[in-house]
Amino acid sequence: VKTHGKNGYQFFDPAFYGAIRQRQQRERELQAAIDENQFVLHYQVRVCATTQRVVSLEALVRWNHPTAGLLYPDEFIPLAEETGMIVALGERVVDCVCAQIAAWSDDGCAPVPVSINVSSRQFNERDIHALFTRALARHGIPPDRVEVELTESTMIRDPERTSSHLHAMHALGIRLLVDDFGTGYSSLSMLQQLDFDMLKVDKSFTRRLGTDCQGEVLFAAIITMAHALGMKVVAEGVERPEQVEVLRRLHCDELQGYYIATPLDAKDVQAEIRRRRAA
Ligand code: C2E
Ligand code: CA
Ligand code: CA
Ligand code: CA
């Protein structure tokens, strides 16, 4: 065995098997989480840049793990995507959002739309349009109360298929947003052809505002072109008041980020909406 040197030894590396076992364990736990619906949604407001009123809420999933506590998407979404479990997890999220919208409506809350993140695997593998239609019908929700956020990579992977899904969603009345805009390789004109309503410009661009002139030039160009093509623009990751000032000056339509509000649970986010309406 020794003559096989390092490679032969590594093959029997107990740490390697430990990592595999740990991953299998996580997979089993994630499957249980889907079966038992251990997920909770937090909601982050998106506000109008001029009035500061809430125009939409972004649903952000958390896993209420039985022993590890509340886990954030970075800790389980990648595994869910690799294993394909994202499809079932995503169905849970859509159903949970629709149930929440119905509950808010029963409580007499203001009818604010909710934006749902859909990963590319989820978007392309299932009949996403049918899934949304069913969930909306089940909870009696009008389609204009729901928005969908997709990243540029979703469009690039399978443009034909994506395009037909997108047109079907749009025809239903669901608004479509491009998430993390600027980090992928799509062109604005392609996004316009695909019928997107809004670009959500990635945090990394927002971060540069207020300190860096080039960053401002870039952001201004995105906004001008998006508007010329009939799309609105939201800046994500707004963390400082100077960024709000710059974004207003550049005619950015909407804002989102910790400076506006952090993601909140279903109860606290309604208080945040009311606070802003009263202000
Ligand atoms: P994302 O869609 O880009 O969501 C924005 C992330 O940035 C959220 O992290 C949010 O909490 C965080 N954030 C908000 N404001 C600020 C800010 O001012 N500064 C900084 N640095 N961060 C801010 P979170 O909740 O951990 O979600 C991470 C990612 O997980 C999301 O990125 C999204 O890609 C994915 N995700 C979340 N929920 C779902 C879901 O239901 N389905 C799918 N497929 N993916 C989801
Ligand atoms: Ca998003
Ligand atoms: Ca984003
Ligand atoms: Ca349009």
Side-chain angles (χ1 to χ4, degrees):
V1 177
K2 272 205 167 137
T3 54
H4 288 286
K6 271 190 181 153
N7 288 336
Y9 182 69
Q10 262 179 5
F11 189 74
F12 300 102
D13 187 350
F16 177 69
Y17 284 105
I20 290 186
R21 265 197 305 278
Q22 209 178 345
R23 191 194 144 100
Q24 288 171 335
Q25 167 79 6
R26 255 296 141 85
E27 269 187 54
R28 278 194 300 274
E29 289 175 355
L30 190 55
Q31 189 55 56
I34 292 165
D35 297 340
E36 293 161 26
N37 201 6
Q38 298 169 355
F39 301 105
V40 279
L41 293 175
H42 284 179
Y43 299 88
Q44 188 180 33
V45 302
R46 201 172 86 211
V47 302
C48 171
T50 48
T51 67
Q52 302 273 5
R53 299 285 175 93
V54 176
V55 288
S56 180
L57 304 173
E58 180 176 7
L60 295 161
V61 70
R62 280 90 182 85
W63 175 7
N64 200 353
H65 189 281
T67 54
L70 205 62
L71 301 182
Y72 282 74
D74 291 353
E75 297 181 80
F76 61 91
I77 292 286
L79 180 64
E81 284 176 346
E82 281 168 40
T83 56
M85 284 191 260
I86 192 69
V87 177
L89 195 163
E91 276 188 59
R92 286 286 192 194
V93 169
V94 172
D95 195 67
C96 188
V97 166
C98 291
Q100 186 62 70
I101 293 173
W104 278 331
S105 162
D106 289 346
D107 289 347
C109 297
V112 177
V114 179
S115 190
I116 301 176
N117 291 288
V118 175
S119 71
S120 70
R121 183 128 185 215
Q122 184 188 357
F123 195 82
N124 288 317
E125 243 170 52
R126 274 269 172 100
D127 194 348
I128 191 80
H129 160 255
L131 183 139
F132 272 86
T133 311
R134 275 198 310 275
L136 290 167
R138 188 158 51 239
H139 297 282
I141 314 280
D144 65 358
R145 293 289 299 278
V146 172
E147 302 172 333
V148 165
E149 303 192 7
L150 296 170
T151 60
E152 292 169 89
S153 58
T154 307
M155 278 74 82
I156 303 294
R157 196 158 303 176
D158 191 349
E160 292 280 292
R161 196 181 168 88
T162 305
S163 159
S164 76
H165 282 286
L166 284 176
H167 285 297
M169 302 278 274
H170 219 212
L172 253 186
I174 295 175
R175 269 184 306 278
L176 306 169
L177 280 74
V178 181
D179 205 354
D180 304 339
F181 179 75
T183 59
Y185 299 96
S186 53
S187 68
L188 284 165
S189 74
M190 171 184 147
L191 297 176
Q192 190 216 14
Q193 273 166 30
L194 287 175
D195 242 357
F196 280 94
D197 299 285
M198 188 170 221
L199 300 184
K200 183 176 278 197
V201 180
D202 191 65
K203 299 187 204 30
S204 57
F205 291 89
T206 309
R207 195 173 301 131
R208 294 172 64 179
L209 297 178
T211 52
D212 165 348
C213 246
Q214 289 282 17
E216 188 173 324
V217 169
L218 219 52
F219 220 116
I222 294 172
I223 292 172
T224 304
M225 289 186 69
H227 283 171
L229 296 169
M231 291 181 280
K232 285 192 168 190
V233 178
V234 52
E236 71 169 12
V238 176
E239 294 179 350
R240 299 191 307 273
E242 316 87 82
Q243 295 168 334
V244 176
E245 248 169 74
V246 175
L247 287 162
R248 280 208 184 124
R249 180 156 48 74
L250 301 180
H251 303 293
C252 184
D253 303 281
E254 298 174 9
L255 310 173
Q256 194 178 12
Y258 296 157
Y259 179 73
I260 312 294
T262 58
L264 301 165
D265 67 26
K267 187 170 138 286
D268 290 346
V269 81
Q270 287 299 330
E272 177 68 22
I273 294 170
R274 284 194 300 273
R275 195 181 66 74
R276 284 172 180 274
R277 282 206 300 172

